[in-house]
């Protein structure tokens, strides 16, 4: 019997009968259609009814060089015919070795060792465990705590969730989570009128330093998202905070973990956000853009000093016995190599400056809007903060779900925006054209006007 062709409706019905989607109240789909995607090309996604959507959020911040990128596709096809995967303990492979060499070469100086995991949260777990274990191997087992910033986000597994600070994701699971030291953050949304980002960020750093002064003896590491707290509403701060933090971590004998899972690979205008502060962390967590948005892979880069503290005769029992089955997956490593190749061959970071300038130009229009409290930009990330009252910055009640209205409106126009609460943001693939970016800003403008009505 000939099957009828798939449609959005037929696939959505089957989907909702068996699937449980991430970060979703599934009951919402009684009203909001599930959109099955048939294919992707560049910045565009196409559903089974032939509608097209511009992927303005890079499919959860992973995609860099477009869907179905011919260069990454070719590399993957070649890898597929050679080696798809092999156990990464006792065995290795060329793509994994080349990728580690590349990452050591392109990340901030001093990071000479690369440990692979398979998603962002796992990379955070690795960095936390490595830091704790390093101190223990060095005879400092009183160091058991982590310092985290208000409004930070580092993933959903229990360790990563514990060092995060977004109540919406964390609160329910509080009884399961290790205790951490949470310090006031540098988020420049809260700076005084007329105060610069740098002045505010420096001022806020003093609050973290005070905690280090008192508690460094029991602290393994400070973990931060450099420059942009993404899941916390694309809140931003000045690079001076990172420079001060690096110096303080050295002074107080505490590691610095830079979680560049979201901001790495060019999103902030430099290849890595840490570059803007001229610093190297003790641990650098990478994922998302690492494979150009193709396959799950993460990496934790660290220093030779840390590596050496684990390097000993087996009977010392000081090894890092952490593993994930898909660690160093060959296909994912090859996609990452192709992605980094594009960065280098096409000089993407300098090419991007044009788009970053255009984004800045397009943002101006939003500033005077009566329901927009702030428009902020770091590199390729632009965020627009919707509020009920511009003067007092009183937010819209969360129950009104204004951001969701922008999402739904944008979909009718052919744009995938997925606001974080009432923060509308763009984090498009690098291959977006100037004309597409202008059109995206126009759709967002209309969507915001639609969403703030009454
Ligand atoms: N850290 C940061 C800064 C992130 O933005 C995310 C994901 N949004 C993660 C960690 C977790 O990555 P994953 O979703 O791959 O577990």
């Amino acid at each position: 019997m000939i099957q009828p062709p798939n449609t959005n409706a037929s696939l959505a019905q089957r989907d909702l009968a068996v699937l449980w989607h991430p970060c979703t109240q599934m009951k919402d789909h009684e009203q909001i259609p599930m959109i099955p995607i048939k294919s992707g090309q560049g910045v565009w996604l196409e559903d089974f009814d032939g509608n097209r959507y511009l992927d303005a959020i890079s499919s959860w911040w992973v995609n860099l060089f477009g869907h179905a990128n011919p260069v990454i596709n070719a590399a993957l096809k070649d890898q597929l015919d050679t080696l798809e995967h092999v156990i990464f303990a006792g065995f290795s492979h060329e793509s994994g070795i080349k990728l580690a060499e590349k990452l050591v070469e392109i990340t901030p100086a001093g990071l000479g060792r690369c440990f692979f995991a398979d998603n962002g949260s796992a990379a955070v777990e690795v960095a936390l465990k490595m830091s704790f274990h390093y101190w223990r191997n060095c005879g400092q087992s009183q160091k058991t705590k982590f310092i985290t910033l208000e409004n930070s986000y580092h993933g959903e597994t229990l360790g990563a969730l514990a060092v995060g600070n977004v109540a919406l994701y964390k609160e329910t699971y509080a009884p399961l989570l290790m205790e951490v030291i949470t310090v006031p953050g540098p988020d420049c949304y809260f700076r005084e009128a007329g105060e610069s980002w740098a002045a505010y960020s420096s001022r806020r750093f003093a609050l973290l330093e005070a905690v280090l002064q008192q508690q460094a003896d029991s602290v393994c590491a400070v973990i931060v998202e450099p420059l942009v707290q993404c899941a916390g509403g694309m809140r931003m701060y000045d690079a001076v905070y990172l420079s001060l933090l690096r110096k303080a971590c050295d002074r107080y004998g505490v590691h610095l973990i830079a979680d560049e899972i979201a901001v790495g690979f060019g999103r902030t205008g430099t290849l890595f956000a840490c570059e803007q502060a001229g610093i190297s962390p003790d641990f650098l967590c990478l994922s998302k853009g690492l494979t150009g948005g193709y396959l799950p892979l993460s990496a934790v880069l660290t220093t030779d000093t840390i590596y050496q503290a684990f390097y000993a005769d087996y009977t010392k029992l000081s090894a890092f016995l952490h593993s994930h089955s898909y660690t160093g997956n060959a296909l994912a490593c090859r996609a990452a190599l192709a992605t980094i190749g594009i960065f280098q061959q096409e000089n993407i970071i300098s090419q991007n400056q044009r788009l970053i300038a255009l984004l800045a130009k397009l943002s101006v229009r939003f500033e005077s809007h009566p329901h927009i409290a702030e428009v902020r930009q770091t590199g390729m990330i632009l965020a627009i903060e919707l509020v009920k009252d511009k003067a007092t910055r009183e937010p819209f009640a969360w129950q009104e779900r204004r951001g969701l209205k922008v999402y739904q409106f944008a979909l009718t126009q052919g744009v995938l925006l997925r606001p974080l609460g009432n923060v509308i943001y763009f984090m498009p693939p690098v291959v977006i054209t100037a004309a597409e970016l202008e059109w995206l800003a126009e759709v967002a403008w209309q969507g915001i006007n639609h969403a703030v009505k009454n």
Side-chain angles (χ1 to χ4, degrees), residues 35 51-53 406-415 439 443:
I35 303 175
N51 304 306
R52 287 175 9 118
Y53 309 91
V406 178
Y407 169 78
Q408 291 180 292
F409 177 88
L411 283 178
T412 68
Q413 305 300 301
V415 172
W439 177 69
V443 170

Side-chain angles (χ1 to χ4, degrees), residues 61 119-121 124 153-155 225 259 261-262 287-288:
W61 324 336
N119 63 72
S121 303
V124 169
Y153 179 90
H154 298 289
E225 294 163 273
D259 174 354
I261 288 161
S287 189
K288 292 194 186 271

Side-chain angles (χ1 to χ4, degrees), residues 286-303:
L286 302 173
S287 189
K288 292 194 186 271
L290 174 60
T291 61
Y294 265 66
L295 285 159
L297 178 70
S298 60
V300 179
L301 279 289
T302 191
T303 64

Side-chain angles (χ1 to χ4, degrees), residues 342-415:
I342 298 173
F343 266 107
Q344 295 190 321
Q345 276 141 36
E346 298 186 23
N347 211 359
I348 295 296
I349 295 299
S350 69
Q351 292 293 326
N352 263 356
Q353 303 310 317
R354 238 173 2 97
L355 282 177
I356 291 170
L358 175 59
L359 208 49
K361 200 173 124 214
L362 294 170
S363 74
V364 174
R365 172 187 199 184
F366 293 86
E367 275 162 15
S368 53
H369 192 285
H371 286 289
I372 293 174
E374 186 179 64
V375 185
R376 49 184 178 267
Q377 183 185 1
T378 297
M380 292 287 289
I381 308 172
L382 183 80
I384 300 163
E385 185 100 19
L386 290 195
V387 287
K388 184 169 176 193
D389 186 318
K390 190 180 181 86
T392 63
R393 291 185 158 190
E394 181 193 347
F396 282 114
W398 63 267
Q399 294 89 339
E400 293 172 13
R401 304 183 81 182
R402 303 277 174 163
L404 183 63
K405 292 183 182 165
V406 178
Y407 169 78
Q408 291 180 292
F409 177 88
L411 283 178
T412 68
Q413 305 300 301
V415 172

Side-chain angles (χ1 to χ4, degrees), residues 119-403:
N119 63 72
S121 303
V124 169
E125 302 285 345
V126 165
L128 297 174
K129 284 176 70 179
M130 268 187 186
S131 173
F132 164 82
H133 199 161
Y134 167 87
W135 293 116
R136 196 181 157 88
N137 282 353
C138 294
Q140 298 211 46
S141 42
Q142 84 288 356
K143 280 184 175 284
T144 58
K145 296 193 181 137
F146 294 93
I147 295 181
T148 186
L149 306 185
E150 222 173 37
N151 195 44
S152 55
Y153 179 90
H154 298 289
E156 298 294 340
T157 53
L158 295 180
L161 197 60
V163 292
N165 186 243
V166 178
L168 181 63
Y169 308 126
K170 182 171 183 178
E171 228 161 58
T172 310
Y173 306 100
L176 304 182
L177 304 177
M178 70 172 162
E179 265 182 49
V180 297
I181 304 169
T182 307
V183 300
D187 174 359
C188 288
Y189 184 68
F190 299 110
R191 72 195 185 282
E192 297 293 324
E195 188 175 23
S196 70
W197 282 26
Y200 183 74
S201 299
S202 309
R203 179 154 74 78
R204 298 290 283 184
F205 181 74
L207 301 168
L208 168 50
E209 174 140 26
V211 173
L212 276 176
Q213 210 163 26
Q214 285 171 3
Q215 304 194 53
D217 260 6
S218 63
V219 171
C220 302
V222 179
I223 181 166
V224 295
E225 294 163 273
L227 301 186
V228 188
Q229 296 187 312
C230 293
M234 299 295 163
R235 292 293 180 80
M236 300 174 185
Y237 61 94
D238 194 89
V240 70
Y241 192 88
L242 298 172
S243 324
L244 294 169
L245 179 57
R246 175 68 276 180
K247 287 190 204 122
C249 284
D250 288 341
R251 218 167 32 249
Y252 292 103
V254 162
H255 291 145
L256 171 55
I257 303 173
D259 174 354
E260 293 221 19
I261 288 161
V263 296
F265 295 98
R267 298 289 188 194
T268 67
T270 45
L271 190 56
F272 298 105
C274 283
E275 292 171 27
Q276 295 184 39
I279 62 149
S280 296
D282 300 290
F283 298 94
L284 177 67
C285 300
L286 302 173
S287 189
K288 292 194 186 271
L290 174 60
T291 61
Y294 265 66
L295 285 159
L297 178 70
S298 60
V300 179
L301 279 289
T302 191
T303 64
D304 289 328
T305 309
I306 287 165
Y307 177 74
Q308 285 304 330
F310 292 79
Y311 196 87
D313 289 337
Y314 185 79
T315 50
K316 287 244 157 93
L317 294 177
S318 60
F320 189 61
L321 301 180
H322 180 110
S323 62
H324 297 289
S325 316
Y326 280 101
T327 293
N329 174 264
L331 283 164
C333 288
R334 188 65 183 271
L337 272 174
T339 300
I340 296 169
I342 298 173
F343 266 107
Q344 295 190 321
Q345 276 141 36
E346 298 186 23
N347 211 359
I348 295 296
I349 295 299
S350 69
Q351 292 293 326
N352 263 356
Q353 303 310 317
R354 238 173 2 97
L355 282 177
I356 291 170
L358 175 59
L359 208 49
K361 200 173 124 214
L362 294 170
S363 74
V364 174
R365 172 187 199 184
F366 293 86
E367 275 162 15
S368 53
H369 192 285
H371 286 289
I372 293 174
E374 186 179 64
V375 185
R376 49 184 178 267
Q377 183 185 1
T378 297
M380 292 287 289
I381 308 172
L382 183 80
I384 300 163
E385 185 100 19
L386 290 195
V387 287
K388 184 169 176 193
D389 186 318
K390 190 180 181 86
T392 63
R393 291 185 158 190
E394 181 193 347
F396 282 114
W398 63 267
Q399 294 89 339
E400 293 172 13
R401 304 183 81 182
R402 303 277 174 163

